[in-house]
Amino acid sequence: QLQLVESGGGLVQPGGSLRLSCAASGFALNSYAIGWFRQAPGKEREGVSCISASGGRTDYADSVKGRFTISRDNAKNTVYLQMNSLEPEDTAVYYCAAPRVWCWGDEFDSWGQGTQVTVSS
């Protein structure tokens, strides 16, 4: 069974940093691109970042470019999202997911349960 588990969320002040982790079990993470998504209250889910299976290709939403960095350690079966210069608008539940092809498609083999990120003073 493909399972993804996020961790690392929490409460942080504006301008602060957090690192989210997405750990896989039941499958080899290096066979999948992995994406980070977020959903704020009352808003639709949006794609934040995506990394290819090898790590050689990354994509970012315009709203996080220059502030967030996605990376992966296939030996640890884990993908990370380093979030710097956090803004209140980044407050959301963050999910990782394993797409069948690429993150901006509509077919996914697994979603995590989400981790809450709150940016507030």
Side-chain angles (χ1 to χ4, degrees):
Q1 182 179 358
L2 282 64
Q3 186 174 10
L4 296 171
V5 178
E6 303 94 338
S7 61
L11 173 64
V12 64
Q13 292 186 341
S17 298
L18 284 174
R19 188 177 80 156
L20 305 183
S21 298
C22 173
S25 62
F27 68 105
L29 197 65
N30 62 9
S31 59
Y32 282 91
I34 295 293
W36 283 99
F37 300 79
R38 66 186 182 186
Q39 187 165 21
K43 295 186 177 181
E44 292 188 355
R45 186 180 66 203
E46 64 171 334
V48 175
S49 185
C50 189
I51 188 167
S52 64
S54 68
R57 175 188 174 188
T58 57
D59 274 349
Y60 296 93
D62 288 343
S63 58
V64 306
K65 280 181 182 177
R67 301 188 298 121
F68 291 11
T69 303
I70 193 170
S71 62
R72 66 191 300 154
D73 185 340
N74 286 336
K76 294 183 178 180
N77 237 22
T78 302
V79 171
Y80 305 97
L81 185 69
Q82 178 66 44
M83 306 186 297
N84 298 328
S85 302
L86 283 162
E87 304 168 352
E89 293 73 23
D90 296 316
T91 295
V93 178
Y94 284 70
Y95 302 88
C96 62
R100 290 193 177 177
V101 181
W102 189 240
C103 305
W104 313 144
D106 56 7
E107 292 186 320
F108 294 83
D109 283 340
S110 184
W111 284 87
Q113 84 289 347
T115 185
Q116 176 71 46
V117 171
T118 303
V119 184
S120 175
S121 55

